[in-house]
Amino acid sequence: MSFGACHVGLIDYEAGNVRSIENALDHLGARVSLVSQASDFEGKTHLLLPGVGAFGYCADKLRATGLVPQLRQWAIDDGRPLLGICVGMQLLADRGEELGTHDGLGLVGGTVRPLKGDPPSVRIPHVGWNDVTFADDFGSFRAGDTADFYFDHSFAYHDPVHGETLGTAEHGERFCAIVRRGKLVASQFHPEKSQRAGLRFLEGFLGIDPC
């Protein structure tokens, strides 16, 4: 499938692994441009919010760009495709509890809390490959499919609204690995580092109708 008609805006707020995501999207044939001001939204078909670091730090960096109103307009008011990755997923929740309690963007509800690490043999942070089970169809994945993705996190998204959990994983506890609300999709794992399964996931996102 060709994604040459897709023009992805990659939110640049100095807290995301921009280069590896650009490389993955380039591999799929999509155009990629950084978005750092409101005028950069023009002409984009899809938006992507990355994130690396602590929740509060990333939330402050994102708000400092002044792009939050445009991001909300895009994803909620206009219902256009947005993908959050790792901390970029977590920022879409109502709040995060990493190093204190911090307000998120409130686009998908829920709270980001630490993984329990129970029993003690469960290592935190959760780093490496893990199975994700899909609860519904997404791109070429079908409900009930399991695929291996790469994770690197100590906190996870909890309390998703019923019916909006698209995929789950297990690491001491079962947690929401993918959430979807309409054309808004977010993953705790890194699809850009997840080889073939990650590219299939990004294909699913690029396949969302931008209109």
Side-chain angles (χ1 to χ4, degrees):
M1 182 180 296
S2 172
F3 297 104
C6 296
H7 189 177
V8 182
L10 186 53
I11 304 294
D12 181 17
Y13 65 112
E14 301 179 352
N17 52 330
V18 170
R19 176 55 59 188
S20 57
I21 293 172
E22 283 184 316
N23 290 341
L25 293 171
D26 283 344
H27 180 78
L28 295 174
R31 294 175 59 198
V32 186
S33 300
L34 298 181
V35 171
S36 57
Q37 55 188 352
S39 60
D40 293 337
F41 282 72
E42 186 175 347
K44 306 302 183 292
T45 60
H46 299 68
L47 277 186
L48 196 152
L49 178 64
V52 172
F55 186 104
Y57 170 80
C58 290
D60 288 345
K61 294 289 285 185
L62 180 58
R63 289 193 172 92
T65 66
L67 295 177
V68 171
Q70 287 79 14
L71 194 58
R72 185 181 300 278
Q73 174 77 36
W74 174 283
I76 301 300
D77 299 340
D78 298 339
R80 304 188 67 187
L82 169 68
L83 173 62
I85 293 177
C86 197
V87 179
M89 171 198 193
Q90 297 177 0
L91 293 177
L92 304 180
D94 286 340
R95 67 190 64 82
E97 297 181 349
E98 184 173 8
L99 302 176
T101 300
H102 309 273
D103 290 336
L105 302 185
L107 303 191
V108 293
T111 301
V112 176
R113 295 197 296 267
L115 290 167
K116 293 178 180 176
D118 184 26
S121 59
V122 174
R123 291 188 176 184
I124 304 296
H126 173 212
V127 179
W129 297 86
N130 203 347
D131 286 341
V132 172
T133 301
F134 285 78
D136 203 349
D137 296 349
F138 182 72
S140 62
F141 296 103
R142 294 292 170 262
D145 283 355
T146 296
D148 211 14
F149 292 95
Y150 185 82
F151 289 84
D152 185 359
H153 65 125
S154 299
F155 289 72
Y157 174 63
H158 290 80
D159 309 324
V161 176
H162 178 70
E164 295 185 341
T165 296
L166 178 59
T168 59
E170 178 82 29
H171 187 71
E173 60 181 308
R174 184 153 291 276
F175 64 88
C176 178
I178 314 169
V179 64
R180 177 177 64 187
R181 174 173 289 184
K183 296 182 180 180
L184 188 164
V185 183
S187 68
Q188 181 60 67
F189 54 81
H190 289 271
E192 78 281 8
K193 298 180 179 178
S194 298
Q195 301 180 3
R196 180 56 192 151
L199 292 176
R200 284 179 62 194
F201 185 80
L202 291 173
E203 287 173 349
F205 172 63
L206 295 176
I208 296 175
D209 185 353
C211 299

